[in-house]
Every structure is written in C-alpha cells, then in structure tokens.
C-alpha cells in the first residue's frame, strides 16, 4: 500500500491543490492528513471543502483545528497565530467547524502505523529535539506496541527519527529518492508542511510511504506562492504570514 502523508495545510489552497494534483498523478492508495487544516492562510473553507469531498483522505486533529473549535486552546499561541485563529473562527462554516471538532487525536493503520499531529497523545506537543523524540519512541515501544512508525506534523519541518535495536535514537539526514527503512527499528516521520513549510525551502512538502518495500520518500511541490500571499494581504491577516511563505520559514 502506498500512503501519501500531508500535514499543516493551514488554509493554503494553492499549495494543497498542487500537492493533491501531484499525488493523484503518482497514484496512492490512501492520503493521511496529519492535522492543522486551518490557521495562518486565507482559504480555510475551500481547503476543508477539498479535503472532505474526497473519500481517500484520513485526518487527525491539529492544534489549530482544536483552537478554532475551542478558542481557550489558542491562549498560548503567539499573537500572529492567535489573530489568525480568531480570523478563521469568523470565516469557517458551521458544518466545517463541526467536522474539525470531531477529528480524532490519532489514527492507527494495520496495527503498525500511527498518525498524529504533535505526539500520539497531544496535538500541541512538539517532536523537535532529541529528548522529545526519545520520549515518543519509548512510548511506542512500551505502551503502543506493536506500533513501529509514528507519522507526525506540527513542526512544519521534514524529519526522520529512528531508534535502533540497541536503543540509540538518531535524526537521519534526508537524501533525495526513496529511503529504505529497517523493519527492526522504530521511526518518527514528519513529511513537512504543505501550507507553511519551514525547511528554508518555500515549496510545499509531503511524503509517500510504501508499506510493501518499506520506504519513505520526501517530495517538494512548487506552487503559486504570490497568489496565496495576495489572499493573505487582502484578508488583512498579518503581512508576516505572506512574507514567511516566500522564505520557507
Ligand atoms: Fe501547524
């Protein structure tokens, strides 16, 4: 089975359309959306429409999805993110809001693969540093066995962490093309962000996992950033949200 992993779309319609177009050309069996459909960019309803209209997308909840359903959850957001949540609450149609508030915290596939936004137990906890990845890899091994791979988002940065049979945790450098995984290891995999990538490359980021040959491939898709920026400015969202898209930060 080929699974496309998309995350942190954040209401960026241009990026989402391009990524889905490329995924459809490549042909996958399933798409998993790792959360944060809304926030930051200007097309929350359109992105929700697109995701919900398809039958091949499994979604989990992101911290921004939670925040639009429950603004108390946005209290610790930085001010620009907070303002974008408030703007989104005014825009999002009731039926879409209902969809967001019913998204699960995680999804398990074939008993071996888990999809979540931040960590398996919290949509707003980061896996960015070694101690954080170690903690989640231990959780997989001790409490979530037989889960071997956890797909996550939230940082907006591509990442491939693994724990080998000796217990050593490593952040693997990402090379182009297929990266073959070891069935004996536990992995944490972040496909990067579709709608607000922060890898210093502005192209939309996603990944394809192949359960057959046990490989992961990270992919970048250029899209019409200027159009997304124009919409952010027209919506009177903070101009920094437009600036950062061009820099991939
Ligand atoms: Fe996000």
């Amino acid at each position: 089975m080929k699974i496309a992993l998309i995350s942190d779309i954040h209401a960026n319609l241009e990026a989402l359309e391009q990524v889905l177009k490329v995924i459809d050309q490549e042909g996958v069996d399933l798409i998993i959306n790792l959360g944060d459909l809304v926030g930051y960019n200007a097309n929350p309803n359109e992105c929700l429409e697109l995701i919900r209209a398809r039958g091949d997308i499994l979604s989990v909840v992101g911290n921004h999805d939670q925040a639009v359903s429950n603004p108390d959850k946005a209290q610790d957001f930085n001010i620009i993110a907070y303002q974008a949540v408030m703007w989104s609450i005014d825009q999002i149609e009731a039926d879409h809001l209902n969809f967001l508030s019913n998204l699960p915290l995680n999804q398990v596939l074939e008993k071996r693969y888990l999809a979540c936004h931040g960590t398996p137990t919290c949509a707003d906890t980061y896996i960015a540093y070694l101690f954080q990845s170690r903690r989640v890899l231990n959780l997989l091994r001790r409490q979530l066995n037989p889960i071997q791979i956890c797909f996550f988002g939230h940082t907006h940065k591509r990442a491939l962490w693994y724990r080998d049979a000796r217990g050593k945790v490593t952040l693997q450098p990402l090379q182009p093309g297929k990266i073959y995984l070891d069935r004996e290891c536990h992995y944490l995999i972040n496909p990067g962000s579709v709608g607000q990538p922060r890898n210093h490359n502005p192209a939309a980021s996603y990944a394809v996992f192949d359960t057959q040959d046990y490989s992961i491939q990270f992919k970048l898709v250029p899209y019409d950033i200027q159009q997304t920026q124009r919409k952010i400015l027209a919506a009177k969202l903070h101009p920094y949200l437009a600036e950062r898209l061009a820099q991939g930060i």
Side-chain angles (χ1 to χ4, degrees):
M1 178 165 60
K2 271 170 86 174
I3 305 170
L5 303 154
I6 58 176
S7 190
D8 296 276
I9 294 160
H10 282 295
N12 184 335
L13 183 64
E14 289 72 30
L16 177 61
E17 283 177 338
Q18 276 311 113
V19 164
L20 290 178
K21 200 165 142 190
V22 174
I23 288 173
D24 286 342
Q25 281 162 3
E26 136 170 66
V28 300
D29 302 292
L30 178 69
I31 301 172
I32 301 182
N33 156 37
L34 298 166
D36 275 2
L37 269 164
V38 299
Y40 296 134
N41 299 302
N43 284 125
N45 286 315
E46 294 78 0
C47 289
L48 274 150
E49 199 84 60
L50 197 50
I51 291 287
R52 294 181 66 193
R54 298 178 60 122
D56 59 348
I57 303 184
L58 270 187
S59 293
V60 297
V61 75
N63 58 313
H64 287 250
D65 306 324
Q66 288 177 329
V68 295
S69 325
N70 176 6
D72 281 353
K73 297 238 179 200
Q75 286 305 320
D76 294 330
F77 282 24
N78 70 58
I79 191 66
I80 294 176
Y82 178 82
Q83 287 166 346
V85 165
M86 292 304 136
W87 180 90
S88 304
I89 289 173
D90 282 343
Q91 305 290 320
I92 299 173
E93 291 162 20
D95 186 49
H96 290 323
L97 202 55
N98 190 42
F99 170 81
L100 291 176
S101 58
N102 284 301
L103 287 175
L105 193 57
N106 62 55
Q107 299 254 19
V108 174
L109 278 172
E110 298 182 353
K111 294 183 184 162
R112 286 178 64 88
Y113 314 117
L114 182 142
C116 63
H117 184 65
T119 68
T121 53
C122 180
D124 203 5
T125 300
Y126 287 91
I127 303 174
Y129 299 105
L130 183 65
F131 77 97
Q132 296 163 324
S133 54
R134 213 176 253 149
R135 190 179 290 162
V136 178
L137 285 161
N138 279 334
L139 179 79
L140 297 193
R141 225 164 35 90
R142 292 178 188 154
Q143 288 173 45
L144 299 174
N145 184 47
I147 303 284
Q148 288 287 124
I149 305 181
C150 166
F151 299 107
F152 70 103
H154 196 32
T155 66
H156 297 209
K157 291 180 178 175
R158 286 171 279 162
L160 175 57
W161 295 92
Y162 70 95
R163 181 192 187 281
D164 68 17
R166 291 168 303 178
K168 190 166 180 264
V169 176
T170 310
L171 178 63
Q172 186 168 325
L174 303 181
Q175 73 250 25
K178 281 189 172 190
I179 301 171
Y180 292 95
L181 308 178
D182 182 336
R183 288 179 194 268
E184 300 303 309
C185 293
H186 287 83
Y187 289 91
L188 306 175
I189 300 176
N190 187 328
S193 167
V194 170
Q196 193 194 77
R198 298 177 190 163
N199 280 94
H200 298 276
N201 184 328
S205 184
Y206 78 101
V208 176
F209 173 60
D210 189 327
T211 60
Q212 231 68 48
D213 66 9
Y214 220 56
S215 70
I216 184 84
Q217 186 166 7
F218 293 85
K219 308 204 173 199
L220 292 172
V221 183
Y223 70 95
D224 187 350
I225 294 174
Q226 288 178 351
Q227 174 70 357
T228 311
Q229 291 176 313
R230 278 193 288 272
K231 289 180 177 177
I232 290 170
L233 299 176
K236 303 223 171 346
L237 284 156
H238 198 289
Y240 175 66
L241 293 170
E243 268 171 50
R244 69 187 302 172
L245 287 181
Q247 299 171 53
I249 56 170

